[in-house]
Amino acid sequence: MNVVNLFGLSGRVALVTGSSAGIGFALAHGLAGAGAKVVLNGREPAKLALAAERLRQEGLSAHEMAFDVTDSSAVRPAIEWIEDNVGPIDILVNNAGMQLRAPLENYPEDAWHALMKTNVDSVFHVGQAVAKCMIPRGRGKIINICSVQSELGRPSIAPYAASKGAVKMLTKGMAIDWGKHGLQVNGLGPGYFKTELNRALVEDKAFSEWLIGRTPSRRWGELEDLVGAAIFLASNASNFVNGQIIYVDGGVTASL
């Protein structure tokens, strides 16, 4: 068995939603580095174009497709365009997401709906549209970005935890329904990572000290820590892995 072929992604097309920055961009960068032709997605065309150009400047294969992953009427034609103009989608990473913190008793109803639409509805819409293309081919890899909050709660983020718990169970449901068609659907659950969205937490000395003390690996996650697990789930190495959530969290979910 050739290990390079086992983990290599050469010739495969990977769509990564919410990938103009942060975790999404890091995952797209990693998949491209393993040989995939990546399609970046976001709602801001200019920001997306800059992100894709960054990859191309490294000699990587990158395209961009701006569309709203929460709008099923926008998702379907976007997937068709990618299939027709870039190539059959072999790998889908459902990464688009958002966070809105507030005490649950005061959580605004419109914020609840916006968060669920972005974190859960998008996984359903894009996952279903891509699966309809993958199923006739009898193969495909779908990676849904979950979170340690798929398992654990924290003050002021109950709706976010509910959304990520839903993504975990939707991942398992997708694996159950689509496994017979040759698809593998798994989740990647990041812990606390140094990203732009987490900058306030990183710079909060008290929170950082608490987190580092709470994490068996005794540090924040770095974006590159996610890449290996993503490549594994996108490659032939995971051909009999289905309906699983891999937590890349430094051990947070293993420890009280």
Side-chain angles (χ1 to χ4, degrees):
M1 185 177 293
N2 187 308
V3 174
V4 173
N5 291 336
L6 192 62
F7 289 93
L9 303 178
S10 180
R12 302 190 189 187
V13 174
L15 168 62
V16 184
T17 69
S19 51
S20 59
I23 287 175
F25 180 79
L27 295 178
H29 186 270
L31 296 177
K37 183 187 299 182
V38 299
V39 181
L40 304 184
N41 158 263
R43 288 186 289 189
E44 300 179 37
K47 188 176 180 181
L48 207 55
L50 288 173
E53 183 57 28
R54 284 177 60 190
L55 297 183
R56 288 192 286 264
Q57 287 176 355
E58 294 185 32
L60 302 174
S61 180
H63 301 260
E64 65 266 22
M65 186 64 188
F67 63 95
D68 184 352
V69 293
T70 70
D71 180 358
S72 61
S73 65
V75 168
R76 289 190 296 270
I79 299 306
E80 290 175 4
W81 187 92
I82 294 168
E83 290 265 328
D84 292 341
N85 293 277
V86 181
I89 299 171
D90 302 290
I91 302 157
L92 166 64
V93 181
N94 276 313
N95 170 75
M98 66 182 295
Q99 171 68 291
L100 293 168
R101 293 180 174 87
L104 186 58
E105 66 273 17
N106 297 321
Y107 206 87
E109 183 178 346
D110 59 346
W112 166 274
H113 290 301
L115 188 144
M116 291 297 168
K117 190 175 180 181
T118 301
N119 292 2
V120 184
D121 291 6
S122 67
V123 177
F124 169 75
H125 292 317
V126 183
Q128 184 186 66
V130 172
K132 285 182 177 180
C133 298
M134 291 177 167
I135 286 170
R137 296 192 284 263
R139 67 181 191 279
K141 303 281 189 174
I142 297 178
I143 304 168
N144 296 328
I145 303 304
C146 299
S147 168
V148 290
Q149 269 80 45
S150 296
E151 301 291 341
L152 303 171
R154 283 278 300 155
S156 80
I157 61 166
Y160 180 81
S163 74
K164 288 301 183 178
V167 173
K168 177 184 77 169
M169 294 311 300
L170 183 54
T171 299
K172 292 178 181 291
M174 288 175 169
I176 293 165
D177 282 5
W178 299 339
K180 64 187 176 186
H181 299 296
L183 279 61
Q184 289 85 52
V185 187
N186 294 287
L188 189 62
Y192 283 86
F193 278 74
K194 288 182 179 179
T195 65
E196 186 64 28
L197 290 178
N198 280 336
R199 175 179 289 184
L201 295 178
V202 174
E203 294 176 351
D204 183 329
K205 184 179 178 182
F207 182 86
S208 273
E209 288 179 351
W210 170 84
L211 177 68
I212 291 169
R214 168 75 173 79
T215 304
S217 292
R218 294 295 186 265
R219 64 176 177 87
W220 280 83
E222 302 287 350
L223 288 176
E224 55 265 28
D225 292 324
L226 288 167
V227 172
I231 291 173
F232 166 68
L233 292 176
S235 71
N236 290 338
S238 61
N239 281 350
F240 201 56
V241 179
N242 222 348
Q244 304 303 307
I245 315 299
I246 296 180
Y247 290 101
V248 184
D249 63 358
V252 166
T253 52
S255 174
L256 286 173

